[in-house]
Amino acid sequence: MAEDLKKMYRTIVKDHCPPRMEIAFVADDDQRQTLFYERVSWTIDGEAKGLRYGENPGQEAALYRLINGNLALAGTQTIQSGRYLASDIELLQSGKHPGKTNLTDADNALNILRYFTDTPTSVIVKHNNPCGVAQADSLADAYHRAYMADRVAAFGGCIALNRAVDNPTAEAIADQYAEVVVAPEYEAGSLEILGRRKNLRVIRIQAIEKLQNFVGERVVDFKSLIDGGVIAQWSFAPVTLKPSDLMLATSEYQGKTYTIAREPTPAEQDDLLFGWLVESGLTSNSVIYVKDRCTVGIGTGEQDRVGVAEIARDKAYRKLADRYCFEELGMAYNELEDEEKKDAINARVCEENGGLPGSSMVSDAFFPFRDGVMVGIREGVKAVVQPGGAMNDWSVIEACNEADATMVFTGHPTFIH
């Protein structure tokens, strides 16, 4: 019976989807703007194969790439056909060919990675949300920092890198279990190292070096409703892209102006912008903490802002405990049965407040009350970035000033649902 259940995940759904697809937008005067797509497949073991299956086994799925046509509405237009990233992946190794979630994880990893081209950066995505994002002077260090930010969640994730994979980075990846690795190139010897993981999908996207060209570009974003209805919207494009776009928080209330007393330091400004751009790839409602250009705690998909701030805080504590346990004892914290050693790790993590002191707090929407930002401030957060625009901005500003914490506004949210 157990083996039968395992077979479910080895299922390959036969691809009945047609080889071409057209989507036409028709105006009142019958003028049409049509987008033309073709189905994507890969040659694996001499056979053309499309997506393995959709979000779950049993859901047939197909990947289509835009090959012609353009849509222009109110001065905004789609990315031109022929400019491909995740819709035109090159499989270098694939014991199992990709399924829908493999590609959407890779795509959202690229969505985040496109903002970081000047520094070696690693993004690890699991179920369409990042579990670790980090930068460093070397690619191997960037990957190690991202992995250790949440080693548990990274299990079976998608790793995206913005530099050619060298042998030290390949060794680190091969020592873990991942589903997908995406990079612009692989140096000599790295593919042999990664080949130790026979079912690892090793993907090359040579256009990764052009990722920054996709910043601000739009595509049509479709959402299907339960009854077959469709919502169409332009994809989200952040406008806060550089330090000068961050506005020192200020608000007026009952005739009085409230302003943040302390400007961010250069290091805080780096973390605030880094965190805000990572935030644009998270499912709302979300709050994250970052420190030294590395995620510390990530909370996503919650219903209230205080709750998600607490979840991100609690994860920072748990993930740091697991990191210390793994570094010191070579095992997961959840597998540690020695209570004395557990107590020692817990005491160290509590003394360090989960690594949160001096970190920056990032929120994809405004804090309606000061209770949300206080979750981070109590842990030693000293910098906050959020859209601003709440009726109680003045109160949140006061909370930051009382703690000698700085706060900046972006002027727009980054909701993703």
Side-chain angles (χ1 to χ4, degrees), residues 16-74:
H16 295 99
C17 296
R20 289 173 296 281
M21 178 175 68
E22 299 177 10
I23 299 175
F25 292 77
V26 185
D28 289 339
D29 59 1
D30 287 336
Q31 291 294 312
R32 290 174 175 258
Q33 296 187 74
T34 304
L35 302 176
F36 300 88
Y37 299 82
E38 67 178 7
R39 191 181 62 199
V40 177
S41 62
W42 306 276
T43 301
I44 301 173
D45 296 331
E47 183 180 350
K49 297 180 180 180
L51 287 184
R52 189 175 187 84
Y53 48 69
E55 287 177 313
N56 297 287
Q59 286 179 258
E60 189 169 335
L63 168 65
Y64 290 88
R65 63 183 164 212
L66 180 66
I67 59 169
N68 206 347
N70 180 51
L71 176 64
L73 299 172

Side-chain angles (χ1 to χ4, degrees), residues 75-230:
T76 302
Q77 64 180 14
T78 57
I79 289 178
Q80 295 296 307
S81 57
R83 295 178 60 203
Y84 302 129
L85 286 169
S87 63
D88 192 33
I89 65 173
E90 182 181 359
L91 279 173
L92 302 183
Q93 172 189 308
S94 176
K96 296 179 180 178
H97 54 290
K100 184 262 186 187
T101 55
N102 296 135
L103 288 192
T104 51
D105 281 354
D107 183 65
N108 199 33
L110 295 176
N111 173 45
I112 297 170
L113 201 61
R114 62 178 161 172
Y115 302 111
F116 308 113
T117 57
D118 297 335
T119 304
T121 306
S122 174
V123 179
I124 305 176
V125 170
K126 185 77 170 288
H127 296 301
N128 215 40
N129 275 305
C131 48
V133 183
Q135 295 184 308
D137 292 334
S138 72
L139 190 66
D141 286 345
Y143 170 70
H144 178 74
R145 297 185 76 205
Y147 177 74
M148 295 307 295
D150 192 342
R151 194 183 61 84
V152 176
F155 182 86
C158 170
I159 303 162
L161 308 161
N162 66 348
R163 296 288 189 276
V165 176
D166 53 23
N167 288 356
T169 306
E171 287 284 359
I173 292 172
D175 283 343
Q176 323 303 336
Y177 171 66
E179 289 272 347
V180 180
V181 58
V182 179
E185 193 51 85
Y186 297 83
E187 294 183 0
S190 62
L191 288 176
E192 287 76 13
I193 295 169
L194 294 173
R196 299 204 301 255
R197 294 284 184 176
K198 67 175 184 177
N199 284 326
L200 176 66
R201 287 84 162 179
V202 179
I203 293 172
R204 177 166 57 198
I205 299 182
Q206 296 185 8
I208 281 183
E209 70 272 10
K210 301 175 183 176
L211 263 177
Q212 199 165 33
N213 297 338
F214 287 78
V215 172
E217 297 272 8
R218 305 276 192 162
V219 298
V220 186
D221 187 6
F222 295 104
K223 169 64 178 177
S224 297
L225 305 181
I226 190 172
D227 60 359
V230 174

